[in-house]
Amino acid sequence: MADVLPLVEARLRSALGEPDARAGVTFLGTDRIEVLRFHAAGRSAEEGDVVRYATLGMSAQPMADPTAMLADPVRGPRAELVLSVRAGLADTGKVLRPLAVLAASPQVEGVIVAPGAALDVGEPLWPGAPFSSVLVAEPGGLVADLELAAPLDPVRFLPLLPMTPNEAAWKRVHGGPALQERWLTHGTDLRDPARRSVPLE
């Protein structure tokens, strides 16, 4: 079976431009996960520059149903993770390892990462970050799905939306769509690395 990662990296480059940094992390018993950093200039002073971090390696294997007796080495959902934050407002470069941890979770914990899921790294995403968890959003907006030769499933590029602890707790009760509706109603800047929790009353 052809290696999908060169195709995945090519799709990331075509959508986000050339990466200006990359780092690799290997966890015991897992394949290497790389995190690529892309810098996008804002179209206006108000918009500001945006830094995007994308994983590379999570899609090398399909995610397996944790209840299945035997993992299918070919079929199953494939994904990479994409996080977008405003540049220059926080030390977000330290998010590389937490992102790699999340990208390795299907291999390590046998979970399927899909839109609507909440992922928690148990520590701030970067030094001083008010977030330790993320909401997995719907793919397709920033980086289009990468179709692979049959019978492989396409690779989906899943945006990650940082959640404060209060937002994560509220999401567990009310669901991801309700939290996203709150963000939208209040005009929350989800790329602000220092934002406060959205009003939840």
Side-chain angles (χ1 to χ4, degrees), residues 3-199:
D3 185 0
V4 304
L5 295 185
L7 302 175
V8 171
E9 182 168 355
R11 173 56 57 88
L12 286 170
R13 287 172 181 266
S14 67
L16 304 178
E18 287 298 309
D20 63 0
R22 64 193 302 155
V25 181
T26 303
F27 303 100
L28 187 63
T30 68
D31 296 331
R32 178 181 174 87
I33 301 289
E34 287 194 289
V35 180
L36 281 57
R37 185 180 71 188
F38 302 86
H39 198 100
R43 287 170 291 192
S44 66
E46 292 78 19
E47 188 176 287
D49 292 352
V50 174
V51 179
R52 306 190 197 282
Y53 300 92
T55 63
L56 179 64
M58 182 177 172
S59 61
Q61 300 177 28
M63 292 181 276
D65 183 341
T67 63
M69 292 291 291
L70 190 64
D72 190 322
V74 176
R75 294 178 178 83
R78 295 175 187 259
E80 297 289 355
L81 308 175
V82 181
L83 174 70
S84 300
V85 292
R86 298 208 178 277
L89 302 178
D91 185 16
T92 57
K94 300 289 177 58
V95 78
L96 300 179
R97 185 171 178 83
L99 274 184
V101 168
L102 296 179
S105 61
Q107 289 186 63
V108 175
E109 301 173 25
V111 298
I112 293 180
V113 177
L119 306 176
D120 196 324
V121 296
E123 61 184 22
L125 291 175
W126 53 82
F131 323 103
S132 62
S133 62
V134 294
L135 176 66
V136 182
E138 291 290 339
L142 188 62
V143 185
D145 292 354
L146 173 64
E147 297 293 334
L148 300 174
L152 276 61
D153 287 30
V155 177
R156 307 171 84 196
F157 299 87
L158 303 173
L160 301 181
L161 308 176
M163 295 188 291
T164 66
N166 284 346
E167 290 170 342
W170 198 86
K171 182 264 179 196
R172 283 193 291 273
V173 175
H174 300 280
L179 178 58
Q180 289 184 286
E181 185 63 33
R182 283 267 171 174
W183 285 334
L184 188 63
T185 299
H186 290 275
T188 305
D189 181 2
L190 296 175
R191 296 175 179 173
D192 181 352
R195 72 172 182 83
R196 296 184 178 181
S197 181
V198 71

